[in-house]
PDB file of all heavy atoms in Angstrom:
ATOM      1  N   GLN A  85      94.888  13.467  87.055  1.00 96.00           N
ATOM      2  CA  GLN A  85      93.913  14.157  87.890  1.00 96.00           C
ATOM      3  C   GLN A  85      93.287  15.319  87.124  1.00 96.00           C
ATOM      4  O   GLN A  85      93.998  16.068  86.449  1.00 96.00           O
ATOM      5  CB  GLN A  85      94.593  14.708  89.139  1.00 96.00           C
ATOM      6  CG  GLN A  85      95.239  13.655  89.984  1.00 96.00           C
ATOM      7  CD  GLN A  85      95.960  14.239  91.189  1.00 96.00           C
ATOM      8  OE1 GLN A  85      96.287  15.417  91.220  1.00 96.00           O
ATOM      9  NE2 GLN A  85      96.201  13.407  92.183  1.00 96.00           N
ATOM     10  N   PRO A  86      91.980  15.499  87.249  1.00 97.00           N
ATOM     11  CA  PRO A  86      91.386  16.684  86.618  1.00 97.00           C
ATOM     12  C   PRO A  86      91.854  17.935  87.349  1.00 97.00           C
ATOM     13  O   PRO A  86      92.332  17.871  88.480  1.00 97.00           O
ATOM     14  CB  PRO A  86      89.884  16.461  86.792  1.00 97.00           C
ATOM     15  CG  PRO A  86      89.751  15.505  87.907  1.00 97.00           C
ATOM     16  CD  PRO A  86      91.007  14.681  87.938  1.00 97.00           C
ATOM     17  N   PHE A  87      91.708  19.068  86.684  1.00 97.00           N
ATOM     18  CA  PHE A  87      92.152  20.328  87.269  1.00 97.00           C
ATOM     19  C   PHE A  87      91.160  21.429  86.919  1.00 97.00           C
ATOM     20  O   PHE A  87      90.235  21.229  86.129  1.00 97.00           O
ATOM     21  CB  PHE A  87      93.585  20.670  86.826  1.00 97.00           C
ATOM     22  CG  PHE A  87      93.823  20.554  85.348  1.00 97.00           C
ATOM     23  CD1 PHE A  87      93.671  21.640  84.498  1.00 97.00           C
ATOM     24  CD2 PHE A  87      94.218  19.339  84.790  1.00 97.00           C
ATOM     25  CE1 PHE A  87      93.891  21.525  83.140  1.00 97.00           C
ATOM     26  CE2 PHE A  87      94.454  19.218  83.427  1.00 97.00           C
ATOM     27  CZ  PHE A  87      94.284  20.319  82.597  1.00 97.00           C
ATOM     28  N   GLN A  88      91.355  22.585  87.509  1.00 95.00           N
ATOM     29  CA  GLN A  88      90.474  23.730  87.293  1.00 95.00           C
ATOM     30  C   GLN A  88      91.004  24.611  86.153  1.00 95.00           C
ATOM     31  O   GLN A  88      92.207  24.752  85.982  1.00 95.00           O
ATOM     32  CB  GLN A  88      90.400  24.579  88.572  1.00 95.00           C
ATOM     33  CG  GLN A  88      89.843  23.859  89.774  1.00 95.00           C
ATOM     34  CD  GLN A  88      88.362  23.588  89.650  1.00 95.00           C
ATOM     35  OE1 GLN A  88      87.616  24.337  89.027  1.00 95.00           O
ATOM     36  NE2 GLN A  88      87.921  22.485  90.243  1.00 95.00           N
ATOM     37  N   ASN A  89      90.092  25.230  85.418  1.00 94.00           N
ATOM     38  CA  ASN A  89      90.497  26.184  84.378  1.00 94.00           C
ATOM     39  C   ASN A  89      91.358  27.300  84.947  1.00 94.00           C
ATOM     40  O   ASN A  89      92.258  27.804  84.277  1.00 94.00           O
ATOM     41  CB  ASN A  89      89.275  26.809  83.706  1.00 94.00           C
ATOM     42  CG  ASN A  89      88.580  25.873  82.774  1.00 94.00           C
ATOM     43  OD1 ASN A  89      89.186  24.967  82.215  1.00 94.00           O
ATOM     44  ND2 ASN A  89      87.286  26.089  82.589  1.00 94.00           N
ATOM     45  N   THR A  90      91.081  27.690  86.170  1.00 95.00           N
ATOM     46  CA  THR A  90      91.819  28.793  86.800  1.00 95.00           C
ATOM     47  C   THR A  90      93.289  28.458  87.035  1.00 95.00           C
ATOM     48  O   THR A  90      94.078  29.354  87.318  1.00 95.00           O
ATOM     49  CB  THR A  90      91.164  29.185  88.135  1.00 95.00           C
ATOM     50  OG1 THR A  90      91.091  28.025  88.975  1.00 95.00           O
ATOM     51  CG2 THR A  90      89.771  29.759  87.919  1.00 95.00           C
ATOM     52  N   GLN A  91      93.654  27.186  86.918  1.00 96.00           N
ATOM     53  CA  GLN A  91      95.051  26.791  87.096  1.00 96.00           C
ATOM     54  C   GLN A  91      95.853  26.911  85.796  1.00 96.00           C
ATOM     55  O   GLN A  91      97.062  26.752  85.804  1.00 96.00           O
ATOM     56  CB  GLN A  91      95.133  25.350  87.604  1.00 96.00           C
ATOM     57  CG  GLN A  91      94.593  25.180  89.007  1.00 96.00           C
ATOM     58  CD  GLN A  91      94.661  23.744  89.453  1.00 96.00           C
ATOM     59  OE1 GLN A  91      93.878  22.906  89.009  1.00 96.00           O
ATOM     60  NE2 GLN A  91      95.624  23.453  90.317  1.00 96.00           N
ATOM     61  N   ILE A  92      95.177  27.194  84.685  1.00 96.00           N
ATOM     62  CA  ILE A  92      95.862  27.309  83.390  1.00 96.00           C
ATOM     63  C   ILE A  92      96.112  28.791  83.104  1.00 96.00           C
ATOM     64  O   ILE A  92      95.319  29.457  82.450  1.00 96.00           O
ATOM     65  CB  ILE A  92      95.034  26.689  82.244  1.00 96.00           C
ATOM     66  CG1 ILE A  92      94.542  25.294  82.594  1.00 96.00           C
ATOM     67  CG2 ILE A  92      95.857  26.660  80.958  1.00 96.00           C
ATOM     68  CD1 ILE A  92      93.516  24.748  81.625  1.00 96.00           C
ATOM     69  N   LEU A  93      97.197  29.301  83.611  1.00 97.00           N
ATOM     70  CA  LEU A  93      97.558  30.696  83.391  1.00 97.00           C
ATOM     71  C   LEU A  93      98.628  30.837  82.311  1.00 97.00           C
ATOM     72  O   LEU A  93      98.851  31.930  81.799  1.00 97.00           O
ATOM     73  CB  LEU A  93      98.046  31.326  84.698  1.00 97.00           C
ATOM     74  CG  LEU A  93      97.027  31.321  85.842  1.00 97.00           C
ATOM     75  CD1 LEU A  93      97.636  31.927  87.099  1.00 97.00           C
ATOM     76  CD2 LEU A  93      95.753  32.032  85.442  1.00 97.00           C
ATOM     77  N   VAL A  94      99.290  29.749  81.977  1.00 97.00           N
ATOM     78  CA  VAL A  94     100.360  29.744  80.978  1.00 97.00           C
ATOM     79  C   VAL A  94      99.852  28.980  79.761  1.00 97.00           C
ATOM     80  O   VAL A  94      99.511  27.803  79.857  1.00 97.00           O
ATOM     81  CB  VAL A  94     101.632  29.085  81.545  1.00 97.00           C
ATOM     82  CG1 VAL A  94     102.720  28.988  80.498  1.00 97.00           C
ATOM     83  CG2 VAL A  94     102.111  29.848  82.769  1.00 97.00           C
ATOM     84  N   ASP A  95      99.784  29.664  78.614  1.00 97.00           N
ATOM     85  CA  ASP A  95      99.272  29.001  77.417  1.00 97.00           C
ATOM     86  C   ASP A  95     100.359  28.167  76.743  1.00 97.00           C
ATOM     87  O   ASP A  95     101.523  28.161  77.166  1.00 97.00           O
ATOM     88  CB  ASP A  95      98.641  30.009  76.457  1.00 97.00           C
ATOM     89  CG  ASP A  95      99.628  30.988  75.834  1.00 97.00           C
ATOM     90  OD1 ASP A  95     100.857  30.752  75.853  1.00 97.00           O
ATOM     91  OD2 ASP A  95      99.159  32.008  75.296  1.00 97.00           O
ATOM     92  N   SER A  96      99.973  27.470  75.700  1.00 97.00           N
ATOM     93  CA  SER A  96     100.891  26.549  75.033  1.00 97.00           C
ATOM     94  C   SER A  96     102.097  27.261  74.417  1.00 97.00           C
ATOM     95  O   SER A  96     103.207  26.728  74.432  1.00 97.00           O
ATOM     96  CB  SER A  96     100.155  25.739  73.961  1.00 97.00           C
ATOM     97  OG  SER A  96      99.582  26.598  72.989  1.00 97.00           O
ATOM     98  N   GLU A  97     101.895  28.460  73.878  1.00 97.00           N
ATOM     99  CA  GLU A  97     103.018  29.190  73.280  1.00 97.00           C
ATOM    100  C   GLU A  97     104.054  29.575  74.328  1.00 97.00           C
ATOM    101  O   GLU A  97     105.259  29.414  74.109  1.00 97.00           O
ATOM    102  CB  GLU A  97     102.515  30.432  72.554  1.00 97.00           C
ATOM    103  CG  GLU A  97     101.726  30.102  71.301  1.00 97.00           C
ATOM    104  CD  GLU A  97     101.203  31.341  70.629  1.00 97.00           C
ATOM    105  OE1 GLU A  97     102.025  32.064  70.026  1.00 97.00           O
ATOM    106  OE2 GLU A  97      99.980  31.580  70.717  1.00 97.00           O
ATOM    107  N   ALA A  98     103.601  30.082  75.468  1.00 98.00           N
ATOM    108  CA  ALA A  98     104.527  30.458  76.542  1.00 98.00           C
ATOM    109  C   ALA A  98     105.223  29.223  77.103  1.00 98.00           C
ATOM    110  O   ALA A  98     106.433  29.257  77.383  1.00 98.00           O
ATOM    111  CB  ALA A  98     103.781  31.205  77.642  1.00 98.00           C
ATOM    112  N   ALA A  99     104.485  28.130  77.262  1.00 98.00           N
ATOM    113  CA  ALA A  99     105.093  26.894  77.773  1.00 98.00           C
ATOM    114  C   ALA A  99     106.165  26.392  76.810  1.00 98.00           C
ATOM    115  O   ALA A  99     107.241  25.964  77.234  1.00 98.00           O
ATOM    116  CB  ALA A  99     104.026  25.821  77.981  1.00 98.00           C
ATOM    117  N   TYR A 100     105.883  26.449  75.524  1.00 98.00           N
ATOM    118  CA  TYR A 100     106.862  26.009  74.528  1.00 98.00           C
ATOM    119  C   TYR A 100     108.130  26.863  74.602  1.00 98.00           C
ATOM    120  O   TYR A 100     109.239  26.329  74.613  1.00 98.00           O
ATOM    121  CB  TYR A 100     106.283  26.065  73.116  1.00 98.00           C
ATOM    122  CG  TYR A 100     107.305  25.656  72.086  1.00 98.00           C
ATOM    123  CD1 TYR A 100     107.491  24.314  71.778  1.00 98.00           C
ATOM    124  CD2 TYR A 100     108.123  26.592  71.468  1.00 98.00           C
ATOM    125  CE1 TYR A 100     108.459  23.918  70.869  1.00 98.00           C
ATOM    126  CE2 TYR A 100     109.097  26.206  70.555  1.00 98.00           C
ATOM    127  CZ  TYR A 100     109.255  24.873  70.269  1.00 98.00           C
ATOM    128  OH  TYR A 100     110.223  24.484  69.376  1.00 98.00           O
ATOM    129  N   LYS A 101     107.972  28.182  74.655  1.00 97.00           N
ATOM    130  CA  LYS A 101     109.141  29.079  74.718  1.00 97.00           C
ATOM    131  C   LYS A 101     110.000  28.769  75.943  1.00 97.00           C
ATOM    132  O   LYS A 101     111.221  28.712  75.859  1.00 97.00           O
ATOM    133  CB  LYS A 101     108.695  30.540  74.734  1.00 97.00           C
ATOM    134  CG  LYS A 101     108.192  31.024  73.399  1.00 97.00           C
ATOM    135  CD  LYS A 101     107.702  32.454  73.485  1.00 97.00           C
ATOM    136  CE  LYS A 101     107.044  32.873  72.189  1.00 97.00           C
ATOM    137  NZ  LYS A 101     106.416  34.189  72.280  1.00 97.00           N
ATOM    138  N   THR A 102     109.351  28.564  77.082  1.00 98.00           N
ATOM    139  CA  THR A 102     110.083  28.257  78.311  1.00 98.00           C
ATOM    140  C   THR A 102     110.812  26.925  78.199  1.00 98.00           C
ATOM    141  O   THR A 102     111.995  26.822  78.540  1.00 98.00           O
ATOM    142  CB  THR A 102     109.115  28.229  79.514  1.00 98.00           C
ATOM    143  OG1 THR A 102     108.524  29.520  79.650  1.00 98.00           O
ATOM    144  CG2 THR A 102     109.829  27.854  80.796  1.00 98.00           C
ATOM    145  N   ALA A 103     110.110  25.894  77.717  1.00 97.00           N
ATOM    146  CA  ALA A 103     110.720  24.560  77.603  1.00 97.00           C
ATOM    147  C   ALA A 103     111.847  24.559  76.570  1.00 97.00           C
ATOM    148  O   ALA A 103     112.897  23.950  76.793  1.00 97.00           O
ATOM    149  CB  ALA A 103     109.657  23.526  77.230  1.00 97.00           C
ATOM    150  N   ALA A 104     111.647  25.237  75.448  1.00 97.00           N
ATOM    151  CA  ALA A 104     112.676  25.277  74.409  1.00 97.00           C
ATOM    152  C   ALA A 104     113.916  26.024  74.900  1.00 97.00           C
ATOM    153  O   ALA A 104     115.047  25.625  74.594  1.00 97.00           O
ATOM    154  CB  ALA A 104     112.127  25.920  73.139  1.00 97.00           C
ATOM    155  N   ALA A 105     113.721  27.075  75.686  1.00 96.00           N
ATOM    156  CA  ALA A 105     114.867  27.794  76.254  1.00 96.00           C
ATOM    157  C   ALA A 105     115.628  26.889  77.217  1.00 96.00           C
ATOM    158  O   ALA A 105     116.859  26.868  77.227  1.00 96.00           O
ATOM    159  CB  ALA A 105     114.400  29.062  76.963  1.00 96.00           C
ATOM    160  N   ASP A 106     114.895  26.113  78.010  1.00 95.00           N
ATOM    161  CA  ASP A 106     115.512  25.185  78.950  1.00 95.00           C
ATOM    162  C   ASP A 106     116.279  24.086  78.206  1.00 95.00           C
ATOM    163  O   ASP A 106     117.334  23.650  78.651  1.00 95.00           O
ATOM    164  CB  ASP A 106     114.436  24.557  79.835  1.00 95.00           C
ATOM    165  CG  ASP A 106     115.021  23.707  80.936  1.00 95.00           C
ATOM    166  OD1 ASP A 106     115.549  24.278  81.904  1.00 95.00           O
ATOM    167  OD2 ASP A 106     114.960  22.464  80.818  1.00 95.00           O
ATOM    168  N   ALA A 107     115.749  23.656  77.070  1.00 95.00           N
ATOM    169  CA  ALA A 107     116.346  22.561  76.292  1.00 95.00           C
ATOM    170  C   ALA A 107     117.339  23.056  75.246  1.00 95.00           C
ATOM    171  O   ALA A 107     117.872  22.256  74.469  1.00 95.00           O
ATOM    172  CB  ALA A 107     115.243  21.765  75.602  1.00 95.00           C
ATOM    173  N   ASP A 108     117.616  24.341  75.203  1.00 95.00           N
ATOM    174  CA  ASP A 108     118.410  24.954  74.128  1.00 95.00           C
ATOM    175  C   ASP A 108     119.716  24.225  73.833  1.00 95.00           C
ATOM    176  O   ASP A 108     120.006  23.902  72.677  1.00 95.00           O
ATOM    177  CB  ASP A 108     118.682  26.423  74.455  1.00 95.00           C
ATOM    178  CG  ASP A 108     119.368  27.133  73.304  1.00 95.00           C
ATOM    179  OD1 ASP A 108     118.807  27.096  72.184  1.00 95.00           O
ATOM    180  OD2 ASP A 108     120.456  27.715  73.525  1.00 95.00           O
ATOM    181  N   ALA A 109     120.527  23.962  74.831  1.00 95.00           N
ATOM    182  CA  ALA A 109     121.819  23.295  74.608  1.00 95.00           C
ATOM    183  C   ALA A 109     121.609  21.900  74.015  1.00 95.00           C
ATOM    184  O   ALA A 109     122.315  21.498  73.083  1.00 95.00           O
ATOM    185  CB  ALA A 109     122.619  23.212  75.902  1.00 95.00           C
ATOM    186  N   TRP A 110     120.639  21.159  74.548  1.00 95.00           N
ATOM    187  CA  TRP A 110     120.351  19.810  74.052  1.00 95.00           C
ATOM    188  C   TRP A 110     119.855  19.874  72.612  1.00 95.00           C
ATOM    189  O   TRP A 110     120.255  19.072  71.774  1.00 95.00           O
ATOM    190  CB  TRP A 110     119.327  19.116  74.952  1.00 95.00           C
ATOM    191  CG  TRP A 110     119.108  17.688  74.591  1.00 95.00           C
ATOM    192  CD1 TRP A 110     119.780  16.608  75.075  1.00 95.00           C
ATOM    193  CD2 TRP A 110     118.182  17.175  73.637  1.00 95.00           C
ATOM    194  NE1 TRP A 110     119.317  15.457  74.486  1.00 95.00           N
ATOM    195  CE2 TRP A 110     118.334  15.784  73.588  1.00 95.00           C
ATOM    196  CE3 TRP A 110     117.227  17.755  72.812  1.00 95.00           C
ATOM    197  CZ2 TRP A 110     117.582  14.962  72.766  1.00 95.00           C
ATOM    198  CZ3 TRP A 110     116.467  16.948  71.987  1.00 95.00           C
ATOM    199  CH2 TRP A 110     116.653  15.569  71.966  1.00 95.00           C
ATOM    200  N   LEU A 111     118.965  20.826  72.316  1.00 95.00           N
ATOM    201  CA  LEU A 111     118.420  20.956  70.966  1.00 95.00           C
ATOM    202  C   LEU A 111     119.506  21.318  69.949  1.00 95.00           C
ATOM    203  O   LEU A 111     119.469  20.855  68.811  1.00 95.00           O
ATOM    204  CB  LEU A 111     117.293  21.996  70.940  1.00 95.00           C
ATOM    205  CG  LEU A 111     116.014  21.585  71.663  1.00 95.00           C
ATOM    206  CD1 LEU A 111     115.065  22.766  71.808  1.00 95.00           C
ATOM    207  CD2 LEU A 111     115.341  20.431  70.942  1.00 95.00           C
TER     208      LEU A 111
END
Side-chain angles (χ1 to χ4, degrees):
Q85 300 178 340
F87 49 92
Q88 299 289 329
N89 286 333
T90 56
Q91 293 179 286
I92 311 169
L93 300 178
V94 176
D95 67 17
S96 59
E97 291 178 73
Y100 178 85
K101 287 177 187 173
T102 299
D106 187 75
D108 186 55
W110 187 90
L111 291 169

